[in-house]
Amino acid sequence: MARGDLTDQEWALIGLLLPPEHGRWARPAGENRRFLNGMLYVLRVGCPWRDMHERYGKWNSVYVRFRRWVEQGGMLCYKPWWTSA
């Protein structure tokens, strides 16, 4: 676990709220926790998806899952606290 990644206690609360992932087209599904940590890394650091650290998996896989969760309503819209209504 890297600095800034979800702790076991945080994951125990959040992990159950995420939709389960199943392998598509005979490819195994990646781990939701690793993908979520990658999404949070991009949001925290403010880097482009392509510059996401490799420890979270392929950037495109993380991005595709992020888009799928957003489209399915599984992710809240990210809005920084410092932006106005």
Side-chain angles (χ1 to χ4, degrees):
M1 178 169 49
R3 181 178 173 209
D5 287 353
L6 295 171
T7 64
D8 291 335
Q9 293 84 9
E10 293 168 335
W11 178 247
L13 295 172
I14 296 172
L16 299 174
L17 302 175
L18 299 175
E21 284 293 324
H22 305 288
R24 292 188 161 101
W25 299 288
R27 290 185 298 199
E31 183 183 346
N32 271 345
R33 183 175 184 172
R34 183 170 54 110
F35 281 100
L36 182 58
N37 279 328
M39 294 172 203
L40 294 174
Y41 175 83
V42 169
L43 295 173
R44 182 175 59 250
V45 176
C47 68
W49 288 100
R50 291 178 186 262
D51 294 340
M52 183 187 72
H53 199 280
E54 294 174 353
R55 72 176 163 260
Y56 302 116
K58 295 180 182 179
W59 73 268
N60 193 47
S61 299
V62 177
Y63 173 75
V64 167
R65 187 165 304 181
F66 175 78
R67 292 298 314 154
R68 189 178 317 130
W69 286 353
V70 168
E71 290 169 1
Q72 294 173 353
M75 292 286 284
L76 297 174
C77 180
Y78 173 73
K79 186 169 185 176
W81 61 268
W82 59 85
T83 60
S84 60

